[in-house]
Amino acid sequence: MRIKIDHLKCTGCKLCEVVCSLQHTEAVNLWRSRIRVFITEDYCLPVIGGPYTEAMCNSKDVVFVEGKEIDGCVVCRASCPAKSIFKEPDTAIPLKCDFCGDPPDPQCVAWCDADALTICD
Amino acid sequence: MFGWKGKMLRVDLSRRNCSVEETPSDLIRDYMGGRGAGVKILFDEIDPRIDPLGPENKLIFATGPLVGTGVPAGGRYIVVSKSPLSGAIANPCCGGYFGPNLKFAGYDLLIIEGKSPEPVYLFIRNDVVEIRSADQLWGKWATETERLLRAEMSEDFDEWELNNMSIVTIGPAGENLVKFACIMSDGGRAAGRSGLGAVMGSKNLKGLAVSGTGEVKIADVDGFKKAVMDFFEEGRANETLEKRRRWGTWSLPGRANKTGTQAALNFQSGYFEPFTKFEDPDFIRDSIRVRDEACFGCPFACSKRSRIEDLAYPGTTKGPEHESMALLGSNCGIGDLDDIYRANYLCNELGMDTISAGAIISCAMELFEKGYLPEKDIGYPLSFGSNESMFQLMRKTALREDFGDLLAEGGDALAQKYGHPELFMGIKGMGMPAWHPQGIEVIGLQYATNNVGGCHTKATLPFYEGRKDPKHHVRLTKQDQDYIAVVDSSVLCWIIYHGPLWGEKLLSWLQITTGIDYTENDLSLIGERIWNLERIFNLKAGISKKDDRLPKRITDEPRVKNQVVHLDRMLPEYYKFRGWDENGIPTPEKLQQLGLEKEGAGL
């Protein structure tokens, strides 16, 4: 199961960040959310904190989204030691998406009224 | 504490001193937050007669209990101060991400006082508050300022925090104390009316950068999650909200024009032929829209980012919204969408209120066409529809150069100088917004009695049944004004939550989020208290019954549908219904009922 992101549908409302932190901490705190939205003039880019990696990768690169350069680290799903986001603010332990438990029911998808986030198998 | 953070930050720019105070519990109880808390603090701390551009004036950025909670459309903030344009209370509201970020930083309110000797910006990250030099930013346009600030801070923060941080700025208009300068934030959003950009400019405060890592607590988390999911469904089923989602306010210019209620040619008409093309709002959407842009926590994303292919206008901007399209477009005789975009772009970037700018320029255009304003004073012809002259005049106004220096003083100053004060379509010095009151009479009463002046955001667009029946005008005006006062204090978005339909929603969001058992009665009392305190502030500032009026064109000359607004008939009824005497002063009984005896003493 994966969460599919359609960045052209995202409006930047950040309700996914809100509900993720509510789900995991019982309060609204975007710094504890496992999904973060980057906002640009032309589109918004939700990024999900994915599986941990042991070490930083060696394929750090620039990617192109809608014709514009973006730092590859920004859109990469891996929680890697080189990344400063997706860290629990008090302990610095990496935050990782858990698809909101078992059975999987990702709340960010449920709260995405713009359908930018959908589930695919 | 649920909802509120319980703290407020006070920054004294004269002494370069910051302090954190507890948000007083009676302030929360009696005024909720946002606009209500702002006016109470302002009333207690300044003399309403002060010069709004002097160092004694204060600038209060206010959030409320619902800001940053994720309540749909609960991401706004209010700025409260004394207006340099009207001399009355000012409380423009603005969307985006700034309000929630201030809450995450730990503050319900930010009070700015004094005056910095040199240009500065304020940096706030949780309990770190710094007053930093803004020499390098002075003179820069709004979006450029934001870009430079982010670049300056790029070393200090990770990509996401830098992206998530909210930046508030003023453009050159605010620096040059243009009396209708606005406060800009998040790439083109404006706390527009009342000229508070000039108050920021008078304090030498170029901007604010706010980031916060804290949390906002909700009383009933499970109930909240369920209520939000239900709200999504209700929103989908609501035709008005679905229109907002697709077109924002772009569905309105065509409709207003078709029904003859669109401000046109300085309110000489309610119809402007070139606007018939906007009856299909997809025309606007297809022409200039880049993307739908939500405020924090709003599923409707009614604001639209836009762009045109013109290298002289690089990048994107927000809008133009309906009000801007009317005032900068039909009211100035401009029908070309790209030209309206350009005018809106210039206002956003120079940091001027689009509505006031349109109102003043259209007044100048009528003065010019009627021969009262000679061409040599301006330097170029300025008839209705002269787009290039208009763009040039906007730049000159923001920089206070040549003829623009007079325009920067506001519409009343302009119209008076050329001997025809009746040609400025303003109320309490503030230009009227888009809906022509002769088309919908109740709007005339809302505008005339509005504490801040000619503004559309303090009552409501009358969508409800029976809006045309004069016998309901007075009751509905009071009810809506009081209701929006609570919406602005919570702080929710008045565009989404206006009209009687949404009264229950406001109540249930407040109950779920704060855990306090509010009743409808509590809320209407808070709303009425806020409205009356604003009125008392105005009365003490010298704004009174004589200012509760509409331009003569609206009350005496039938321009639209052969109708005039019968303000003389409605106003005494309104005063009476509000519990005010015949001069519009709250009676002792009313003051006692609202607990405002102390504030209302000596009126």
Side-chain angles (χ1 to χ4, degrees):
Chain A
M1 184 192 208
R2 287 172 56 231
I3 295 170
K4 189 178 162 207
I5 296 168
D6 184 345
H7 63 279
L8 291 179
K9 283 189 181 159
C10 180
T11 61
C13 74
K14 295 186 177 249
L15 279 172
C16 52
E17 296 178 8
V18 168
V19 72
C20 184
S21 63
L22 269 179
Q23 180 76 16
H24 293 96
T25 72
E26 296 280 304
V28 181
N29 184 344
L30 310 189
W31 264 254
R32 296 196 158 102
S33 169
R34 281 91 170 133
I35 181 166
R36 309 286 173 93
V37 182
F38 287 85
I39 293 179
T40 78
E41 280 181 284
D42 292 78
Y43 54 85
C44 302
L45 203 56
V47 182
I48 296 169
Y52 305 143
T53 56
E54 297 284 321
M56 60 196 277
C57 66
N58 51 15
S59 59
K60 198 168 158 57
D61 209 349
V62 168
V63 294
F64 287 86
V65 183
E66 306 300 312
K68 281 195 179 162
E69 279 187 21
I70 294 246
D71 182 346
C73 274
V74 168
V75 289
C76 175
R77 287 187 175 203
S79 302
C80 98
K83 253 172 123 160
S84 50
I85 74 165
F86 296 124
K87 297 261 169 75
E88 163 65 38
D90 294 339
T91 58
I93 294 173
L95 298 167
K96 189 180 102 168
C97 171
D98 63 354
F99 292 87
C100 294
D102 189 21
D105 180 21
Q107 291 299 298
C108 55
V109 176
W111 276 42
C112 185
D113 205 34
D115 288 338
L117 305 175
T118 46
I119 292 174
C120 67
D121 290 320
Chain B
M1 195 180 230
F2 299 111
W4 296 273
K5 292 300 292 182
K7 281 189 189 149
M8 48 193 211
L9 176 65
R10 188 183 292 273
V11 177
D12 185 335
L13 294 173
S14 299
R15 298 197 185 91
R16 292 182 73 90
N17 182 38
C18 309
S19 58
V20 178
E21 299 164 18
E22 284 199 7
T23 313
S25 57
D26 53 348
L27 184 72
I28 287 173
R29 186 193 63 215
D30 297 341
Y31 294 93
M32 186 80 68
R35 173 174 153 194
V39 66
K40 173 66 175 154
I41 293 174
L42 197 72
F43 185 87
D44 285 350
E45 297 188 5
I46 72 167
D47 179 342
R49 289 166 300 183
I50 56 160
D51 170 12
L53 296 179
E56 307 83 23
N57 198 6
K58 300 192 180 185
L59 198 58
I60 302 169
F61 291 82
T63 74
L66 300 186
V67 176
T69 57
V71 168
R76 289 171 84 85
Y77 68 98
I78 303 272
V79 195
V80 183
S81 188
K82 178 175 172 170
S83 163
L85 185 64
S86 61
I89 187 81
N91 47 28
C93 52
C94 181
Y97 306 96
F98 174 79
N101 273 321
L102 190 61
K103 284 280 283 284
F104 298 144
Y107 309 108
D108 295 317
L109 296 126
L110 164 63
I111 305 165
I112 293 171
E113 48 194 50
K115 176 184 178 175
S116 165
E118 70 277 319
V120 291
Y121 77 91
L122 193 62
F123 171 82
I124 300 171
R125 187 179 192 269
N126 303 338
D127 47 3
V128 176
V129 181
E130 290 172 14
I131 298 170
R132 297 178 174 174
S133 169
D135 277 338
Q136 71 288 7
L137 302 169
W138 208 249
K140 295 282 189 288
W141 291 21
T143 308
E144 176 72 356
T145 306
E146 203 176 308
R147 194 187 63 75
L148 289 169
L149 269 176
R150 276 188 218 278
E152 188 177 309
M153 293 185 283
S154 62
E155 297 287 298
D156 306 338
F157 301 101
D158 69 54
E159 306 98 334
W160 183 75
E161 179 163 5
L162 194 65
N163 189 279
N164 189 55
M165 182 182 292
S166 248
I167 292 179
V168 172
T169 63
I170 53 169
E175 296 169 10
N176 294 318
L177 312 184
V178 173
K179 291 203 170 160
F180 48 93
C182 54
I183 297 175
M184 304 299 298
S185 53
D186 296 318
R189 295 180 182 275
R193 309 309 312 276
S194 301
L196 297 192
V199 176
M200 254 176 96
S202 74
K203 298 186 176 311
N204 273 326
L205 180 62
K206 178 69 176 170
L208 314 167
V210 178
S211 182
T213 63
E215 64 185 19
V216 175
K217 288 197 177 112
I218 291 168
D220 175 6
V221 173
D222 291 335
F224 179 77
K225 283 190 194 161
K226 184 174 177 312
V228 172
M229 296 290 278
D230 292 346
F231 189 83
F232 290 150
E233 274 182 38
E234 285 174 52
R236 290 279 177 201
N238 184 311
E239 203 186 325
T240 309
L241 291 175
E242 280 302 284
K243 280 191 203 162
R244 285 282 179 277
R245 196 192 298 266
R246 180 161 180 82
W247 297 300
T249 55
W250 287 342
S251 60
L252 300 175
R255 195 182 92 191
N257 202 44
K258 197 174 171 185
T259 52
T261 48
Q262 176 84 354
L265 307 175
N266 202 24
F267 287 84
Q268 294 182 83
S269 169
Y271 175 79
F272 185 58
E273 203 279 325
F275 267 42
T276 49
K277 61 177 174 284
F278 301 143
E279 279 172 27
D280 173 14
D282 272 330
F283 170 77
I284 311 175
R285 188 178 158 99
D286 296 343
S287 306
I288 58 175
R289 172 184 162 275
V290 175
R291 70 175 179 90
D292 300 344
E293 188 175 58
C295 296
F296 182 90
C298 181
F300 303 108
C302 76
S303 85
K304 311 296 174 201
R305 189 151 282 281
S306 52
R307 170 188 282 132
I308 57 169
E309 298 301 324
D310 183 344
L311 291 176
Y313 295 81
T316 60
T317 196
K318 209 185 82 56
E321 299 286 345
H322 164 233
E323 302 286 337
S324 315
M325 292 188 67
L327 272 294
L328 298 169
S330 51
N331 209 39
C332 289
I334 295 198
D336 181 61
L337 183 58
D338 283 5
D339 280 342
I340 297 172
Y341 175 94
R342 290 182 180 100
N344 178 64
Y345 181 101
L346 284 174
C347 281
N348 285 349
E349 290 296 334
L350 294 165
M352 294 192 292
D353 169 26
T354 54
I355 301 176
S356 298
I360 291 163
I361 291 175
S362 60
C363 169
M365 285 171 165
E366 190 175 350
L367 287 167
F368 175 82
E369 283 208 345
K370 298 224 155 114
Y372 306 137
L373 168 58
E375 187 179 326
K376 68 170 171 40
D377 284 18
I378 318 171
Y380 34 85
L382 190 68
S383 350
F384 282 109
S386 37
N387 47 5
E388 290 301 332
S389 305
M390 176 169 161
F391 304 148
Q392 194 172 348
L393 199 49
M394 282 178 167
R395 290 169 190 262
K396 298 265 185 200
T397 303
L399 300 174
R400 278 191 178 265
E401 284 172 358
D402 310 331
F403 185 61
D405 192 34
L406 177 61
L407 258 60
E409 286 299 306
D412 277 342
L414 169 77
Q416 262 157 27
K417 167 149 190 210
Y418 291 99
H420 289 273
E422 77 283 1
L423 290 187
F424 176 59
M425 298 296 118
I427 299 154
K428 302 183 176 81
M430 191 195 283
M432 275 199 298
W435 297 92
H436 201 304
Q438 287 174 347
I440 314 174
E441 193 178 27
V442 63
I443 280 190
L445 182 63
Q446 293 178 356
Y447 288 174
T449 56
N450 193 328
N451 286 327
V452 301
C455 177
H456 60 294
T457 66
K458 302 302 168 209
T460 170
L461 295 179
F463 285 133
Y464 37 72
E465 289 298 310
R467 65 179 186 265
K468 291 196 173 133
D469 188 345
K471 74 171 185 281
H472 299 311
H473 286 357
V474 164
R475 182 178 60 81
L476 291 174
T477 297
K478 172 184 180 294
Q479 177 190 305
D480 291 346
Q481 287 172 336
D482 293 351
Y483 168 69
I484 297 286
V486 185
V487 169
D488 279 352
S489 301
S490 297
V491 177
L492 286 178
C493 171
W494 73 277
I495 294 190
I496 300 298
Y497 288 91
H498 72 333
L501 255 182
W502 300 92
E504 287 168 31
K505 272 278 168 271
L506 170 66
L507 186 65
S508 72
W509 287 130
L510 281 165
Q511 289 168 340
I512 294 171
T513 309
T514 64
I516 298 172
D517 266 335
Y518 285 108
T519 63
E520 282 206 28
N521 207 21
D522 296 336
L523 298 192
S524 55
L525 198 65
I526 291 174
E528 192 173 2
R529 184 179 294 124
I530 295 168
W531 193 268
N532 277 269
L533 185 59
E534 289 172 350
R535 177 76 180 181
I536 296 169
F537 181 95
N538 280 358
L539 288 166
K540 294 199 168 177
I543 312 260
S544 59
K545 183 185 180 184
K546 68 179 188 323
D547 303 291
D548 290 343
R549 45 170 292 278
L550 291 166
K552 217 167 122 217
R553 177 163 289 165
I554 306 297
T555 51
D556 293 17
E557 305 168 19
R559 296 280 181 167
V560 172
K561 299 175 183 172
N562 210 20
Q563 293 172 19
V564 294
V565 175
H566 301 95
L567 187 64
D568 289 347
R569 203 168 64 203
M570 292 188 287
L571 198 59
E573 277 180 53
Y574 171 86
Y575 284 172
K576 199 168 152 212
F577 193 69
R578 274 228 170 262
W580 297 353
D581 69 13
E582 66 276 15
N583 291 315
I585 296 169
T587 57
E589 297 78 53
K590 182 51 80 180
L591 293 174
Q592 196 194 3
Q593 186 205 339
L594 299 172
L596 291 173
E597 298 99 322
K598 192 162 62 75
E599 288 80 358
L603 282 174

